[in-house]
Every structure is written in structure tokens, then in C-alpha cells.
Amino acid sequence: MFNFLKNLKGDKVMATAKLSKTAKVRNLFAKGSDVSWKQLRNTYDLKSPAAMVGKLRNEGMMIYENRGSKGVSYRVGTPSKAIIAAGINAVFGKQVAYSA
């Protein structure tokens, strides 16, 4: 039935699932190193690395942007208390404000 999973010797060969570009970039950020805009553009063939970063931010990743003389780089970090407080205030209002 699944003859395409067998090689010529009759051994079973497992197929690997192909990762999406989003999954590849998410895995890259999970490693914890800085990722340059050029690396995202050239290595992962993204037309707009900023759009991919925005998409991952919307999924809940805390990605910081660093602008320097070498260009733009991104890294994943931990949100500060001020950012958490601003998010809680934006969602719930001042009546349940989180004090930093």
C-alpha cells in the first residue's frame, strides 16, 4: 500500500516533514542568538523579514530589534515589568493596573 516508503531492498524509509519558513525562523530564534535582517532575507529567502518578525510577535514571541552600524538585528528576550504593566493596562484598563 505504501510502497513509496520502501527502498529497493525492501527496508522501510521514514519521510521527514518539511518545515515552513515560519517554523524555521521560530526555531532559529529559539536558539537564543542574534539574527540579522540580512540573514533572514538571504538564508531563509524572506521577502520581508520585518513582516515575519511582526507575525512572530503577534504569536507571542518577545522579539527586540537592535539597530546598529552593521544594520538591524533581532533577538528574543524576556519582557520587562513595564511592558507587562502596559499590556495589562491596555487589555484590562487602569482599574486592575499592575504596579511595577
Side-chain angles (χ1 to χ4, degrees):
M1 181 171 170
F2 294 103
N3 291 332
F4 63 93
L5 292 177
K6 294 183 180 180
N7 61 14
L8 296 176
K9 296 178 183 176
D11 297 332
K12 291 185 179 181
V13 177
M14 298 301 294
T16 58
K18 187 174 180 182
L19 293 176
S20 66
K21 288 182 182 180
T22 304
K24 289 178 184 178
V25 173
R26 190 181 300 118
N27 290 340
L28 179 66
F29 277 119
K31 291 179 183 176
S33 60
D34 288 355
V35 180
S36 71
W37 184 91
K38 287 183 180 180
Q39 182 181 6
L40 290 174
R41 175 69 179 98
N42 297 330
T43 305
Y44 295 96
D45 193 33
L46 298 176
K47 292 181 180 177
S48 176
M52 176 64 75
V53 169
K55 179 179 178 180
L56 293 174
R57 284 177 177 156
N58 288 337
E59 291 178 0
M61 290 185 78
M62 193 68 195
I63 300 175
Y64 292 96
E65 180 178 298
N66 298 323
R67 293 181 179 262
S69 60
K70 294 181 180 179
V72 177
S73 66
Y74 303 99
R75 66 176 177 83
V76 175
T78 308
S80 65
K81 290 181 181 180
I83 290 177
I84 293 173
I88 290 173
N89 289 339
V91 172
F92 298 111
K94 294 286 183 184
Q95 67 272 13
V96 290
Y98 173 81
S99 59

